[in-house]
Amino acid sequence: DAGVIQSPRHEVTEMGQEVTLRCKPISGHNSLFWYRQTMMRGLELLIYFNNNVPIDDSGMPEDRFSAKMPNASFSTLKIQPSEPRDSAVYFCASRTAENTEAFFGQGTRLTVV
Amino acid sequence: ILNVEQSPQSLHVQEGDSTNFTCSFPSSNFYALHWYRWETAKSPEALFVMTLNGDEKKKGRISATLNTKEGYSYLYIKGSQPEDSATYLCAFLKDSNYQLIWGAGTKLIIKP
């Protein structure tokens, strides 16, 4: 397996534009996490899916952020409209429901100018 | 509120010295404790998954212990090398389907 795959690796966009980040979890993993890494807060959980169903989205900053998982092999995190304070590295991770570790993607570095 | 705390926040260690740091977590409803290593500009990678009180796991020069009754885990690095420089994160689970609750990490810097 190629691991957790995120795209794009880098995204530079202008303030007000819509940004969509993508994640393909490891096949067979039924839990998927979106995290944001910032200097101030470290690794911050945004949303957590289990079997494609959002379980905890309390970390989603505001209504500008939305996430979907239409099937077991794909998830998106959308920011609309984007703001400069959204600039961060966004990680996707997946794991199985059994007691195994989380596997992280390489991250998407988002810069909003 | 579930709280996972790591100490110290950062640590400078001379190359060749051994070191250790702590992860504290709720001692009730324990399911598992994970340790991850996070190098700059990379993504976190798992070191250990620990489930049983008294567990001790080892990978090369790195080892970890677990005390679920008192709610702490130690990570030890023996004979630190420059490549050990990274942020070490622990994460707590209260059941198998629950989200990982992350500590803020211990940033380890090895001085040559």
Side-chain angles (χ1 to χ4, degrees):
Chain A
D1 201 310
V4 177
I5 299 173
Q6 290 187 245
S7 64
R9 291 292 306 276
H10 303 274
E11 176 82 31
V12 180
T13 191
E14 289 186 347
M15 182 174 66
Q17 297 297 306
E18 176 180 296
V19 175
T20 300
L21 312 182
R22 297 172 177 80
C23 176
K24 181 180 186 306
I26 292 174
S27 177
H29 285 193
N30 57 2
S31 295
L32 183 140
F33 308 81
W34 281 102
Y35 292 97
R36 178 169 67 177
Q37 177 199 5
T38 62
M39 291 294 290
M40 295 296 292
R41 297 199 187 105
L43 198 61
E44 179 185 15
L45 177 68
L46 299 176
I47 188 168
Y48 158 48
F49 292 88
N50 199 39
N51 293 321
N52 312 339
V53 175
I55 302 299
D56 183 354
D57 65 354
S58 59
M60 296 285 263
E62 46 199 271
D63 292 345
R64 297 184 299 106
F65 284 67
S66 62
K68 293 182 180 178
M69 192 164 186
N71 57 62
S73 58
F74 184 65
S75 177
T76 59
L77 178 68
K78 187 176 291 186
I79 308 172
Q80 166 64 18
S82 57
E83 296 182 4
R85 61 190 167 125
D86 301 330
S87 297
V89 179
Y90 291 80
F91 285 103
C92 174
S94 71
R95 65 187 283 263
T96 62
E98 294 81 31
N99 197 14
T100 60
E101 66 268 37
F103 291 83
F104 284 76
Q106 293 299 302
T108 294
R109 180 173 293 277
L110 172 66
T111 304
V112 182
V113 297
Chain B
I1 296 176
L2 296 175
N3 213 25
V4 177
E5 296 183 356
Q6 291 189 245
S7 64
Q9 190 175 8
S10 65
L11 193 53
H12 289 72
V13 175
Q14 195 68 41
E15 182 179 353
D17 287 352
S18 297
T19 187
N20 66 84
F21 28 93
T22 309
C23 173
S24 301
F25 52 86
S27 56
S28 58
N29 296 320
F30 175 86
Y31 187 82
L33 193 283
H34 294 196
W35 279 101
Y36 292 78
R37 183 169 176 275
W38 192 6
E39 290 183 70
T40 303
K42 295 187 178 180
S43 49
E45 291 185 350
L47 286 171
F48 305 115
V49 174
M50 309 181 81
T51 56
L52 298 174
N53 184 43
D55 251 358
E56 184 168 340
K57 298 213 171 180
K58 189 175 179 182
K59 187 181 289 188
R61 293 179 293 99
I62 304 176
S63 60
T65 60
L66 179 68
N67 183 324
T68 60
K69 294 188 192 301
E70 296 181 40
Y72 65 84
S73 175
Y74 291 135
L75 190 80
Y76 299 89
I77 302 178
K78 186 177 177 182
S80 304
Q81 299 297 309
E83 59 264 29
D84 296 330
S85 295
T87 295
Y88 291 83
L89 297 166
C90 68
F92 165 81
L93 285 94
K94 69 172 189 177
D95 64 54
S96 63
N97 285 321
Y98 201 72
Q99 61 170 292
L100 291 160
I101 307 296
W102 295 86
T106 292
K107 185 172 183 177
L108 177 64
I109 298 166
I110 306 301
K111 299 178 288 185

